[in-house]
Amino acid sequence: MLKLSPSILAADFTILGEQMSKVEEGGCDYFHFDVMDGMFVPNISFGIPVLASVRKFTKKTLDVHLMVQDPERYIDKFIDSGADIVTVHKEATDDALSALRAIRRRGKRAGLAIKPYTDTKELIPFFGEADMFLIMTVEPGFGGQKYMDICTDKIKALRGSLREAGLDTDIQVDGGITRDNINTVIDAGANVIVMGSSVFSGDIKGNAAYFTELFRTYNKGEIQ
Ligand code: DX5
Ligand code: ZN
């Protein structure tokens, strides 16, 4: 099933609630919450207090992407503040397995992310331990970047490896996804689609409705 996860990093924070409502009117499955610590990535975004407010505002699944060094330090705090999915970066921890297990122990879905130049083979030891694998399609740290074409084959490779292992684990893509390349990433095997600028710029409700309708037709099998 295809799922749309708009990234609020691209929203106007002076009217965040209003813009999230517009997204929900158009349709979405999750909200993507990009946490950046200025260490693992060269940018700082937002954290626990903002998540706690967003949690009070929406019933949608909160898909928290921790671009944070040593994320195990914060897993419980983000779950306590409302995260439904917590994704950690393999490159940010010495023990991704215990981080994933800590998330699942709290009854939440665990995601494992890799940066564009990290080989998907590094995810194979975690098959069965994660509910979602995130393939970054831009260097993490900023919204509004251009999709990195080298990632298309990575999505295909990971979907192939999962299929061989008899798994249909979610593959999330994140960064530079637009109306022009959305079919490419879906056809490659991604099924959870993060979009910041493509949703939050211009006609927010219309953008969300466009992608929701596109995903509905894919999900119904009308588009192969
Ligand atoms: C980048 C973030 C992405 C980004 C997506 O580090 O993880 O979620 O906000 O924004 P767009 O869709 O504008 O590239
Ligand atoms: Zn993200």
Side-chain angles (χ1 to χ4, degrees):
M1 284 287 278
L2 288 173
K3 291 164 235 175
L4 174 61
S5 186
S7 166
I8 66 165
L9 185 71
D12 174 348
F13 298 123
T14 63
I15 47 170
L16 178 57
E18 189 184 309
Q19 294 197 330
M20 287 177 67
S21 298
K22 285 194 183 134
V23 172
E24 292 202 32
E25 283 161 30
C28 72
D29 300 282
Y30 303 163
F31 279 109
H32 187 77
F33 196 86
D34 282 311
V35 183
M36 301 176 183
D37 67 353
M39 295 292 287
F40 180 67
V41 291
N43 195 7
I44 294 176
S45 58
F46 37 64
I48 305 273
V50 176
L51 180 66
S53 292
V54 164
R55 179 70 287 166
K56 286 194 299 236
F57 186 82
T58 180
K59 295 201 176 352
K60 293 291 181 182
T61 296
L62 295 181
D63 164 31
V64 175
H65 177 193
L66 294 182
M67 288 163 275
V68 169
Q69 192 57 44
D70 304 324
E72 46 278 343
R73 297 173 294 153
Y74 292 104
I75 288 169
D76 282 320
K77 289 195 184 81
F78 276 96
I79 290 174
D80 294 342
S81 303
D84 298 298
I85 302 171
V86 178
T87 296
V88 298
H89 268 266
K90 182 169 180 318
E91 304 94 344
T93 171
D94 297 334
D95 189 352
L97 184 57
S98 63
L100 294 170
R101 287 179 173 170
I103 298 161
R104 281 183 156 183
R105 255 200 313 278
R106 291 287 307 270
K108 302 300 176 185
R109 276 173 282 168
L112 186 59
I114 52 170
K115 299 200 290 188
Y117 291 109
T118 301
D119 194 313
T120 52
K121 287 192 183 66
E122 293 199 30
L123 295 174
I124 294 174
F126 303 95
F127 280 11
E129 297 285 351
D131 303 289
M132 182 169 78
F133 290 112
L134 163 48
I135 296 182
M136 285 306 297
T137 43
V138 295
E139 277 300 327
F142 300 89
Q145 299 179 74
K146 197 178 162 322
Y147 175 79
M148 294 170 67
D149 291 322
I150 56 149
C151 294
T152 307
D153 286 343
K154 291 182 69 176
I155 302 162
K156 282 183 192 153
L158 179 58
R159 183 52 76 198
S161 305
L162 285 166
R163 205 169 280 132
E164 266 165 45
L167 296 168
D168 64 353
T169 309
D170 286 344
I171 296 179
Q172 183 174 60
V173 286
D174 182 8
I177 308 297
T178 66
R179 295 182 188 212
D180 299 333
N181 59 33
I182 183 93
N183 297 77
T184 303
V185 298
I186 293 170
D187 296 344
N191 72 298
V192 182
I193 316 294
V194 175
M195 281 183 269
S197 340
S198 297
V199 169
F200 282 97
S201 36
D203 174 4
I204 296 174
K205 181 180 169 187
N207 292 333
Y210 172 85
F211 292 113
T212 296
E213 178 53 25
L214 176 71
F215 290 10
R216 199 184 59 75
T217 48
Y218 263 101
N219 289 338
K220 272 176 55 182
E222 284 168 11
I223 304 180
Q224 297 307 333

